[in-house]
Amino acid sequence: DTGVSQDPRHKITKRGQNVTFRCDPISEHNRLYWYRQTLGQGPEFLTYFQNEAQLEKSRLLSDRFSAERPKGSFSTLEIQRTEQGDSAMYLCASSRYPDHGGYTFGSGTRLTVV
Amino acid sequence: AQSVTQLDSQVPVFEEAPVELRCNYSSSVSVYLFWYVQYPNQGLQLLLKYLSGSTLVKGINGFEAEFNKSQTSFHLRKPSVHISDTAEYFCAVSESGGSYIPTFGRGTSLIVHP
């Protein structure tokens, strides 16, 4: 069990650029989740996958946000045309369904949009 | 939909003193309850969870929490804290019969002074 890996740990980008983050879940976990965390707040749910199927994406913050999980393994979260308000920590978590909400989180990717 | 209220944004305490971090939730159905800890610049780590059974739940690092259905509370306690317990603590709730996606509180910053 190598844990949940996220890459990169930090990303600084200029406003208007596209960014992509990667998450590698625990191998035997079939669910993968993306959350956003802003300063002083708890994690905010964005989307999740069960195997390769994206089961909930209505909570993605705008149509600039998209996520994929090809072949049910790693996942990517892309933000197009970044805005300063996108600056946050993006957290990935994985679990084995039915998990009831007990996840293993990665260390996160901190995005700064300048 | 469920919601979580963490009543204290910050709790200062001296080393070796007891501590209680408060969490109240709102839901119209049965719930599952969780406490996570987040150290600076890291992801969240599951401390403990209540799924069913005994209302007193023991977790890692000497923490415990008690589910009180009538008070809709799930307060976290530790009888004697250490400097290393300084971190952000998040309460989370998920609902039975759904996708089990938890909603997180805003967090409580535990600050342990020597």
Side-chain angles (χ1 to χ4, degrees):
Chain A
D1 180 355
T2 56
V4 177
S5 298
Q6 290 190 248
D7 184 69
R9 290 294 308 276
H10 304 275
K11 177 71 175 179
I12 299 175
T13 190
K14 291 184 178 179
R15 190 175 52 186
Q17 298 293 306
N18 299 343
V19 294
T20 300
F21 310 139
R22 177 180 170 123
C23 172
D24 287 89
I26 292 173
S27 57
E28 61 266 29
H29 285 180
N30 55 0
R31 279 197 169 184
L32 185 149
Y33 311 82
W34 285 100
Y35 280 79
R36 183 181 79 156
Q37 186 179 22
T38 54
L39 201 61
Q41 301 293 321
E44 176 186 13
F45 171 73
L46 297 178
T47 187
Y48 84 105
F49 296 84
Q50 184 157 319
N51 300 312
E52 66 274 13
Q54 190 173 12
L55 298 186
E56 172 62 68
K57 57 182 179 180
S58 66
R59 308 269 283 276
L60 286 167
L61 300 164
S62 77
D63 58 7
R64 297 184 296 106
F65 287 71
S66 63
E68 294 183 342
R69 191 183 184 197
K71 301 179 183 178
S73 56
F74 71 93
S75 175
T76 58
L77 178 69
E78 182 181 17
I79 309 174
Q80 295 183 326
R81 305 181 302 281
T82 52
E83 302 173 357
Q84 286 190 322
D86 297 332
S87 296
M89 176 79 87
Y90 291 85
L91 295 166
C92 176
S94 70
S95 70
R96 184 160 187 79
Y97 180 82
D99 48 61
H100 304 105
Y103 301 162
T104 301
F105 278 86
S107 296
T109 294
R110 181 166 295 284
L111 173 66
T112 302
V113 182
V114 298
Chain B
Q2 71 266 33
S3 66
V4 179
T5 302
Q6 290 186 244
L7 296 163
D8 306 296
S9 59
Q10 203 172 81
V11 173
V13 65
F14 286 106
E15 195 174 18
E16 298 183 6
V19 70
E20 179 178 82
L21 306 183
R22 297 180 293 168
C23 172
N24 286 86
Y25 69 92
S26 175
S27 174
S28 57
V29 299
S30 297
V31 296
Y32 307 108
L33 296 155
F34 309 85
W35 276 98
Y36 285 84
V37 60
Q38 185 176 34
Y39 299 102
N41 297 313
Q42 293 188 27
L44 282 72
Q45 180 183 6
L46 183 64
L47 267 181
L48 50 78
K49 59 185 176 184
Y50 170 79
L51 302 182
S52 65
S54 173
T55 57
L56 183 62
V57 180
K58 294 188 182 299
I60 61 171
N61 301 340
F63 284 93
E64 65 180 31
E66 186 156 21
F67 170 51
N68 187 321
K69 189 174 181 180
S70 63
Q71 301 286 327
T72 60
S73 67
F74 191 56
H75 301 332
L76 181 71
R77 296 190 292 258
K78 187 170 183 178
S80 175
V81 295
H82 303 287
I83 296 286
S84 60
D85 292 323
T86 295
E88 196 79 16
Y89 291 79
F90 294 94
C91 181
V93 61
S94 66
E95 292 183 328
S96 63
S99 61
Y100 304 125
I101 304 296
T103 296
F104 286 82
R106 295 182 62 176
T108 297
S109 179
L110 176 63
I111 302 169
V112 181
H113 297 287

